Amino acid sequence: MDFRIDVVMRYLPLLMQGLRITIQLSVIAVGVGTVIGLFISLMRLSKIAPLRWIARGYVDFIRGTPLMAQIFLIHFGVPPLLGLSAFNPMLSGTIALSLNSGAYVAEIFRGAIQSIEKGQMEAARSLGMTHSQSMKYIIIPQAFKRAIPPLGNEFIAILKDSSLVSVISLQDLMMSGRMMQARSFRPFETWLAVSIFYLIMTMSLSQFVSYLERRYSKSDNN
Amino acid sequence: MITIRDLTKNFGKLEVLKGVSCSITAGEVVVVIGPSGSGKSTFLRCINQLEKANSGEIIINGTDIMDKKTNINEVRQDVGMVFQLFNLFPHKTVLENIALAPIKVKGISVKDAEALGRQLLKRVGLEDKAEVYPEKLSGGQRQRVAIARALAMKPKIMLFDEPTSALDPEMVGEVLEVMKDLAKEGMTMVVVTHEMGFAREVGDRVLFMDGGHIVETAKPLDIFNNPQHERTKAFLNKIL
């Protein structure tokens, strides 16, 4: 078996291009997804029934359908509805991944918020804080801390799932791999290199998450 | 100061309060005793609407707090509460625990709120713990911080829901001391407790509750030495 490291080196710039797209896409999806997730989780816990239904429908739809179908739906399905010819793949990819991570993050936040002891809300309310003040200053900060480990897992999943955007010919790391294989005829080198890139990213991310966990554990629960 | 008429409360099919009436005057220390499940905590929690009563009337300083038009958040600013399990905010330091509500609810400056916080910590004997997180404190210290936190809103009434029941025996005293000082300063207090010594020494009046009713209400000495009702006698015999 001969492993041609020179092939990997030759296509490194191509892979780096894809890597950049993958990182961009994942960071935006995670950021937007977190904001969507927070709002959706609050809607799901709302006293107003229609808000709960909308949030529930959204989460069920996203979690019950394949991400690839969601990507196609947004890339090919939505633009005609709006009277547009097409979205550029980066836009569709970002929207699809953000909406997808939003639903999963919403469930993580909902669980974390519900795990905060009832006494915390009661103490806040007994001091005269409104429900929203109590959520903002007391419940959500504590829930956020408890959500860090599952959020970390979700972000790792998003990073890997972002590879699916290659189906709408967005040139992410996965797409770069396909191009490299087609040009070099060296599948083993190609996919090993691509995998290692993903691995480096997911491992750095999980390191970062455990750093955050350690940092926030200093004021841990009583 | 507080007038309660015919208060009832159900949890599903369970009737916890079956028509409770009483009135509490300013500066009075009322101690509520009774077996567990008698409705005493629920009664207390109705006074600041942590539980919504099903029917009846609660008037605090002339405000009908069960009226839908009443802003309950304003009422609660005048009614402090101390919980059995302290319910301190674990992600905030002791000083932040105390200063948060004055800053966010009353809108006073951070500087003033922290000065107030330090002053209250001194009063409960914990001025050296201002920067510490609650997890580093003993149970007795946590409960004293919780009292300081409630006092920071300058309430006119303080409610205590079994404030010493979750404490190790050697820490009960320090919390009761703080409560005694508060009573001496003329605070209106409603205290649900099993500490009969406190009831006897500090209480102006004792309410004995059983089965969702106030069975008997009297001055501490009268109720302990000469209980009128069989149920009161039976309860006191068991615990004294």
Side-chain angles (χ1 to χ4, degrees):
Chain A
M1 164 188 151
D2 66 329
F3 185 85
R4 297 268 306 277
I5 189 77
D6 61 304
V7 174
V8 175
M9 295 316 281
R10 183 154 20 107
Y11 287 95
L12 212 51
L14 180 70
L15 293 181
M16 293 302 271
Q17 259 178 21
L19 184 71
R20 230 189 71 209
I21 298 288
T22 290
I23 291 176
Q24 262 177 22
L25 194 62
S26 306
V27 168
I28 297 174
V30 159
V32 178
T34 304
V35 176
I36 295 177
L38 185 58
F39 278 105
I40 296 292
S41 67
L42 292 176
M43 281 169 70
R44 278 207 72 170
L45 297 169
S46 162
K47 276 192 209 125
I48 305 160
L51 288 183
R52 283 203 308 272
W53 299 333
I54 294 169
R56 182 72 199 269
Y58 166 68
V59 170
D60 283 351
F61 180 81
I62 297 287
R63 296 207 308 175
T65 55
L67 175 55
M68 203 187 290
Q70 294 161 17
I71 293 171
F72 283 150
L73 185 64
I74 285 167
H75 187 63
F76 298 115
V78 171
L81 280 186
L82 303 175
L84 302 169
S85 57
F87 283 158
N88 83 44
M90 186 66 186
L91 182 63
S92 333
T94 310
I95 294 174
L97 272 181
S98 301
L99 289 176
N100 186 271
S101 80
Y104 286 93
V105 170
E107 286 300 279
I108 291 171
F109 279 146
R110 182 173 68 99
I113 288 171
Q114 286 177 325
S115 78
I116 303 297
E117 299 70 23
K118 213 167 108 252
Q120 292 289 310
M121 178 58 96
E122 289 182 349
R125 296 305 303 271
S126 79
L127 291 164
M129 285 191 229
T130 62
H131 184 267
S132 10
Q133 283 177 325
S134 311
M135 287 303 282
K136 183 169 160 199
Y137 301 117
I138 305 303
I139 307 298
I140 292 175
Q142 293 185 61
F144 210 85
K145 202 179 85 189
R146 283 191 199 176
I148 289 174
L151 278 179
N153 290 339
E154 170 56 20
F155 294 166
I156 288 170
I158 281 290
L159 192 70
K160 294 186 292 179
D161 290 348
S162 73
S163 59
L164 280 171
V165 298
S166 59
V167 296
I168 51 171
S169 45
L170 181 55
Q171 199 213 320
D172 71 329
L173 182 54
M174 183 61 82
M175 190 62 162
S176 299
R178 277 154 67 177
M179 288 158 70
M180 173 176 164
Q181 172 182 249
R183 292 179 199 169
S184 67
F185 303 104
R186 301 292 299 183
F188 183 69
E189 283 83 350
T190 300
W191 296 115
L192 188 67
V194 166
S195 299
I196 286 171
F197 270 126
Y198 276 111
L199 189 63
I200 290 170
M201 287 191 290
T202 52
M203 285 182 69
S204 327
L205 200 51
S206 63
Q207 283 299 313
F208 178 63
V209 170
S210 42
Y211 160 77
L212 282 184
E213 266 180 77
R214 276 198 307 276
R215 221 191 95 180
Y216 283 109
S217 67
K218 71 168 192 235
S219 59
D220 215 343
N221 230 319
N222 47 7
Chain B
M1 185 158 225
I2 308 177
T3 307
I4 295 166
R5 275 187 221 111
D6 268 332
L7 202 64
T8 67
K9 171 71 186 172
N10 312 331
F11 289 112
K13 281 188 182 147
L14 185 69
E15 263 188 297
V16 185
L17 298 178
K18 301 172 186 167
V20 173
S21 303
C22 77
S23 66
I24 295 162
T25 55
E28 204 178 8
V29 177
V30 174
V31 178
V32 185
I33 62 171
S36 57
S38 59
K40 51 193 195 308
S41 279
T42 306
F43 167 67
L44 191 75
R45 290 160 57 85
C46 282
I47 299 178
N48 70 350
Q49 295 280 284
L50 283 183
E51 302 292 353
K52 295 224 185 315
N54 294 89
S55 69
E57 221 179 18
I58 303 173
I59 314 283
I60 297 179
N61 286 327
T63 310
D64 178 356
I65 68 162
M66 287 170 63
D67 187 337
K68 284 202 170 63
K69 279 173 250 152
T70 302
N71 181 346
I72 191 61
N73 299 317
E74 278 171 24
V75 176
R76 283 176 178 149
Q77 292 182 37
D78 288 337
V79 185
M81 182 150 193
V82 174
F83 300 85
Q84 181 177 1
L85 295 174
F86 331 124
N87 297 345
L88 292 179
F89 307 133
H91 60 306
K92 300 207 170 280
T93 65
V94 164
L95 192 60
E96 288 167 349
N97 262 276
I98 299 172
L100 182 71
I103 295 168
K104 301 299 179 191
V105 178
K106 286 197 167 164
I108 77 172
S109 72
V110 174
K111 202 170 133 251
D112 290 349
E114 291 192 342
L116 172 68
R118 287 184 199 280
Q119 185 194 327
L120 286 166
L121 279 176
K122 199 166 172 189
R123 181 159 160 194
V124 299
L126 293 169
E127 61 267 44
D128 55 330
K129 302 289 186 192
E131 322 300 336
V132 166
Y133 283 94
E135 59 156 357
K136 302 279 187 225
L137 302 179
S138 71
Q141 291 171 330
R142 285 180 201 188
Q143 197 59 297
R144 286 188 280 157
V145 171
I147 294 172
R149 178 177 69 177
L151 290 177
M153 290 301 287
K154 301 202 179 1
K156 301 191 177 75
I157 299 162
M158 284 283 281
L159 309 176
F160 293 83
D161 189 4
E162 303 200 23
T164 56
S165 297
L167 298 178
D168 291 336
E170 75 270 24
M171 292 172 183
V172 170
E174 62 192 65
V175 171
L176 292 182
E177 274 314 308
V178 170
M179 291 169 61
K180 277 180 209 167
D181 287 345
L182 209 54
K184 267 185 226 149
E185 288 161 26
M187 177 65 79
T188 309
M189 295 164 65
V190 185
V191 184
V192 172
T193 188
H194 296 293
E195 293 293 327
M196 296 304 146
F198 177 84
R200 205 186 292 252
E201 195 183 332
V202 186
D204 295 312
R205 199 146 52 98
V206 174
L207 302 184
F208 171 70
M209 284 185 75
D210 192 18
H213 296 283
I214 295 178
V215 176
E216 186 166 352
T217 166
K219 289 199 181 322
L221 286 181
D222 294 339
I223 213 163
F224 288 120
N225 298 338
N226 188 20
Q228 299 297 307
H229 286 76
E230 283 310 316
R231 279 189 284 176
T232 319
K233 279 179 204 165
F235 174 73
L236 290 172
N237 276 337
K238 256 184 253 167
I239 58 162
L240 290 178

